Amino acid sequence: MRLGSALAIYVLFWVLCFFVVIPFGVRTDEEAGAERAPGHADSAPHRFSFGTAALRATIVATSLFALFYLNYVYGWIGARDLDWSR
């Protein structure tokens, strides 16, 4: 696998993982015990930390990409294994 291909696949893993981990650890103003600012929705997060979400996404994406790459190298699961129509 070329470096450019590996990097593109890792970025796809990272973006997917980022959207998956965004909701974890986020609380609303009501749950945090703070007053809601005027004009904000009731469901708006009290505080959102991009850095924390990015770090979590990086950890998960790196783990998943490592499994993907090891499968690519060692061929644990191939296209024939996923063909359920045979």
Side-chain angles (χ1 to χ4, degrees):
M1 180 180 307
R2 293 183 178 174
L3 180 63
S5 300
L7 183 62
I9 293 170
Y10 179 78
V11 168
L12 290 173
F13 271 108
W14 191 90
V15 170
L16 176 68
C17 291
F18 183 75
F19 283 112
V20 168
V21 302
I22 282 178
F24 294 104
V26 176
R27 299 182 307 171
T28 62
D29 288 332
E30 184 178 328
E31 294 168 339
E35 286 192 29
R36 183 172 48 97
H40 288 180
D42 293 334
S43 60
H46 174 66
R47 275 196 194 125
F48 175 71
S49 174
F50 179 83
T52 302
L55 178 64
R56 290 176 182 170
T58 301
I59 292 168
V60 174
T62 302
S63 302
L64 291 176
F65 181 76
L67 286 173
F68 171 79
Y69 187 76
L70 289 172
N71 183 56
Y72 175 78
V73 171
Y74 294 111
W76 296 326
I77 300 172
R80 299 183 85 194
D81 299 326
L82 299 175
D83 183 15
W84 298 329
S85 64
R86 13 177 200 147

